């Protein structure tokens, strides 16, 4: 038994598509996911530019600003486990479209908020609402596209995500004097609603197959020590045991939690204030540098999508490439944080090039499990990523306030926070390198027979 696919766009519910998806239809499905992720990344990074306005209008401290931005990650993290279950049970279309309605509600509340507590609640709702944008895409990619395309698709998604980050930096800085930060969030609410419509009418629709129960019983009898059984997705130990007991999950965990999660914390909040308060750039100049950083990041994702297939032909797999780039990112960060010259932006841009490889870990880990585990695997790993983002984003704010309370200069307080962050990353990278010697990874044979039929 195999999944079949139909399309609302073509109005032919009985026409089946061959897997893996190819051609223009594959591109259309990708673009449905990409638009939603563009918007989600704009939500994620918007505080970098509007932070001075929020501090001025609401009189909030550095710790409050860190908490406000981290509230996004709290909402994001709260939904990851139920999101993974929903993706494996109901598919990307229904899950992402319904979850994203929370982002619309949150953006409207944020735009109308008059106090800090309301902003935090709104930010949590926004984080919950966009939590499915990348995970639903990874789940769909794992089900509908070839395994060899996973790294390319992940990098291509980040191209659109980074484009959203670009749109939320210098362009937002230009329009904010005219519509204000409240108007910016009303625009984002409207774009989110548009994305919901595109997702609902553009993505595959899941339909239960009439022989589902018979197939389920057959699968249970075929379980072996090297195969994950087709356990119904639910909140139970049996459902998550193959993930949480897999050595590779624990090997790659620090890269998501501290490297990628920490990068998100820097990109979405502390990069802009660091440029203003440490390097003493004018806010408009800082916004331009942040815009340039995200532009370089975008081209780095494009480069990864282009280079990965070529490296594979030469025997260099995605894992090895990612390892090289993560190691290089440690060096670039050290130079960017502590080599504070007028040309410091060069080191930040080199950091952007190397950190573009962090997302490859998410495309790698789903390949260690069968397709019917893709939602749970991607969201469980993603949960650890955003736990790290929350810890780093809020932790830097507290270390800054601590340093200032001790009478330090702001630049010295930033140095303290960033050196702690860098040391933790280096420790996590060392664990990633040595873990295979002690905990060999386990692969599971993918079961290509599916327990239901997908209708588009």
């Amino acid at each position: 038994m195999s999944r079949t696919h139909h399309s609302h766009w073509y109005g032919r519910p009985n026409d089946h598509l061959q897997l893996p998806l190819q051609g223009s239809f594959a591109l259309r499905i990708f673009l449905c996911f990409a638009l939603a992720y563009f918007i989600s990344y704009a939500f994620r990074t918007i505080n970098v530019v509007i932070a001075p306005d929020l501090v001025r209008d609401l009189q909030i401290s550095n710790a409050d600003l860190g908490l406000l931005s981290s509230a996004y990650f709290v909402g994001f993290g709260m939904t990851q486990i139920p999101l993974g279950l929903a993706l494996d049970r109901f598919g990307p279309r229904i899950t992402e479209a319904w979850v994203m309605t929370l982002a619309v509600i949150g953006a409207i509340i944020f735009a109308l908020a008059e106090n800090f507590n309301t902003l935090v609640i709104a930010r949590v709702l926004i984080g919950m609402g966009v939590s499915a944008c990348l995970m639903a895409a990874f789940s769909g990619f794992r089900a509908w596209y070839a395994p060899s395309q996973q790294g390319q698709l992940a990098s291509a998604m980040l191209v659109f995500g980074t484009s959203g980050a670009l749109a939320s930096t210098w362009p937002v800085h230009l329009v904010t004097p005219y519509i204000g930060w409240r108007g910016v969030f009303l625009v984002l609410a409207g774009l989110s609603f548009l994305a919901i419509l595109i997702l609902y009418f553009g993505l595959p629709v899941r339909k239960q197959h009439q022989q589902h129960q018979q197939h389920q019983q057959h699968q249970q009898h075929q379980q072996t020590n090297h195969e994950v059984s087709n356990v119904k997705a639910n909140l139970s130990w049996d459902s998550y045991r193959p993930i949480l007991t897999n050595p590779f999950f624990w090997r790659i965990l620090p890269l998501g939690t501290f490297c990628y999660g920490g990068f998100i914390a820097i990109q979405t909040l502390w990069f802009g204030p660091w440029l203003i308060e440490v390097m003493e750039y004018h806010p408009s100049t800082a916004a331009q540098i942040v815009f340039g950083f995200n532009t370089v990041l975008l081209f780095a994702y494009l480069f990864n999508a282009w280079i990965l297939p070529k490296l594979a032909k030469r025997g260099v797999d995605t894992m090895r490439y990612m390892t090289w780039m993560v190691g290089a990112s440690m060096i670039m960060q050290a130079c960017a944080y502590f080599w504070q010259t007028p040309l410091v932006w060069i080191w930040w841009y080199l950091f952007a090039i190397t950190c573009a490889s962090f997302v490859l870990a998410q495309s790698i880990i789903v390949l260690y499990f069968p397709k019917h585990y893709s939602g749970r695997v991607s969201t469980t790993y993603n949960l650890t990523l955003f736990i790290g983002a929350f810890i780093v984003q809020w932790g830097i704010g507290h270390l800054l306030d601590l340093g200032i309370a001790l009478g330090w200069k702001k630049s010295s307080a930033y140095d303290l926070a960033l050196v702690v962050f860098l040391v933790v990353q280096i420790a996590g990278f060392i664990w990633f390198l040595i873990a295979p010697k002690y905990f060999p990874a386990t692969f599971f044979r993918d079961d290509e027979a599916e327990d239901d039929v997908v209708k588009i």
Side-chain angles (χ1 to χ4, degrees):
M1 188 190 312
S2 62
R3 294 182 182 229
T4 58
H5 300 263
H6 316 285
S7 174
H8 287 308
W9 288 354
Y10 299 111
R12 298 198 296 265
N14 295 320
D15 289 355
H16 295 178
L17 295 176
Q18 297 296 320
L19 293 180
L21 295 181
Q22 297 177 351
S24 61
F25 189 81
L27 177 61
R28 290 173 180 177
I29 294 298
F30 170 81
L31 290 176
C32 288
F33 289 123
L35 174 62
Y37 193 53
F38 174 95
I39 296 168
S40 76
Y41 227 103
F43 273 124
R44 182 186 300 181
T45 59
I46 193 70
N47 279 10
V48 173
V49 174
I50 68 170
D53 298 306
L54 293 175
V55 171
R56 182 187 65 248
D57 293 348
L58 300 176
Q59 303 298 313
I60 60 179
S61 67
N62 286 316
D64 288 338
L65 184 59
L67 176 60
L68 177 60
S69 295
S70 297
Y72 171 96
F73 301 122
V74 172
F76 203 107
M78 286 170 55
T79 60
Q80 290 305 292
I81 297 302
L83 174 62
L85 297 173
L87 286 171
D88 287 339
R89 296 193 68 172
F90 306 113
R93 170 184 171 265
I94 291 295
T95 301
E96 186 171 5
W98 279 104
V99 170
M100 204 168 181
T101 58
L102 294 175
V104 177
I105 297 171
I108 294 173
I109 294 175
F110 198 100
L112 301 177
E114 296 293 341
N115 57 68
F116 176 72
N117 290 336
T118 305
L119 287 179
V120 171
I121 294 172
R123 192 72 174 159
V124 170
L125 287 174
I126 291 171
M128 295 173 67
V130 300
S131 62
C133 291
L134 187 59
M135 298 301 97
F138 283 152
S139 181
F141 295 160
R142 181 69 178 94
W144 306 324
Y145 295 79
S148 60
Q149 293 179 291
Q150 300 300 309
Q152 287 179 288
L153 289 166
S155 295
M157 280 292 289
L158 268 294
V159 170
F160 280 85
T162 307
S163 298
L166 287 173
S168 68
T169 53
W170 182 241
V172 169
H173 179 77
L174 293 177
V175 303
T176 300
Y178 301 98
I179 65 175
W181 57 269
R182 299 181 187 275
V184 169
F185 273 85
L186 289 176
V187 171
L188 287 173
L191 291 175
S192 298
F193 182 73
L194 175 63
I196 290 171
L197 295 178
I198 293 174
L199 290 166
Y200 189 82
F201 291 106
L203 292 184
V205 179
R206 177 168 297 195
K207 182 180 180 181
Q208 295 295 327
H209 194 276
Q210 61 183 356
Q211 295 179 346
H212 167 79
Q213 185 174 2
Q214 178 182 354
H215 177 67
Q216 179 89 358
Q217 294 172 350
H218 174 73
Q219 287 290 73
Q220 292 174 351
H221 287 293
Q222 296 298 320
Q223 182 180 0
T224 67
N225 290 333
H226 298 288
E227 177 182 3
V228 179
S229 62
N230 193 2
V231 177
K232 190 72 172 179
N234 56 64
L235 189 59
S236 68
W237 173 245
D238 285 340
S239 183
Y240 280 89
R241 177 182 53 80
I243 302 170
L244 298 179
T245 59
N246 190 314
F248 183 75
F249 177 84
W250 293 102
R251 176 192 175 190
I252 206 169
L253 180 67
L255 297 190
T257 304
F258 300 114
C259 295
Y260 197 6
F263 162 71
I264 292 172
I266 298 295
Q267 180 197 29
T268 57
L269 178 60
W270 294 116
F271 184 24
W274 184 87
L275 291 170
I276 296 170
E277 297 174 354
V278 176
M279 299 305 299
E280 299 182 349
Y281 287 120
H282 188 273
S284 62
T285 302
Q288 292 178 34
I289 293 175
V290 173
F291 183 87
F293 177 89
N294 288 320
T295 301
V296 172
L297 190 61
L298 184 151
F299 283 103
Y301 289 130
L302 282 172
F303 175 78
N304 285 348
W306 172 78
I307 197 66
L308 286 173
K310 298 183 182 299
L311 290 176
K313 293 179 180 179
R314 296 178 178 272
V316 178
D317 60 18
T318 303
M319 175 76 79
R320 186 184 303 177
Y321 176 76
M322 181 191 70
T323 303
W324 291 343
M325 298 300 281
V326 170
S329 75
M330 308 292 174
I331 300 173
M332 301 309 164
Q333 285 181 79
C335 294
Y337 298 158
F338 308 116
W339 198 345
Q340 297 168 5
T341 69
L343 298 178
V344 69
W345 55 269
I346 294 177
W347 294 113
W348 280 98
Y349 289 0
L350 290 173
F351 173 41
I353 293 172
T354 56
C355 71
S357 65
F358 293 167
V359 70
L360 297 176
Q362 291 177 291
S363 67
I364 291 171
I365 196 169
V366 296
L367 295 176
Y368 277 69
F369 299 87
K371 293 180 180 179
H372 60 271
Y373 266 81
S374 60
R376 280 163 285 176
V377 172
S378 59
T379 54
T380 301
Y381 182 74
N382 208 46
L383 173 61
T384 67
L385 187 158
F386 280 91
I387 289 174
F390 173 82
I391 293 172
V392 173
Q393 197 165 76
W394 200 7
I396 287 177
H398 275 285
L399 287 174
L400 288 178
D401 286 343
L402 175 63
I404 293 172
L406 293 174
W408 296 5
K409 295 180 180 179
K410 277 192 175 180
S411 60
S412 298
Y414 270 103
D415 288 345
L416 169 65
L418 293 176
V419 75
V420 171
F421 170 51
L422 185 58
V423 168
V424 170
Q425 287 184 85
I426 293 172
F429 184 58
I430 292 174
W431 163 253
F432 173 77
L433 295 176
I434 67 173
K437 297 180 181 179
Y438 306 101
F439 304 100
T442 302
F443 281 95
F444 296 95
R445 182 179 68 81
D446 192 12
D447 188 355
E448 294 297 333
E450 302 292 345
D451 60 356
D452 51 7
V453 176
V454 174
K455 186 176 76 174
I456 300 182

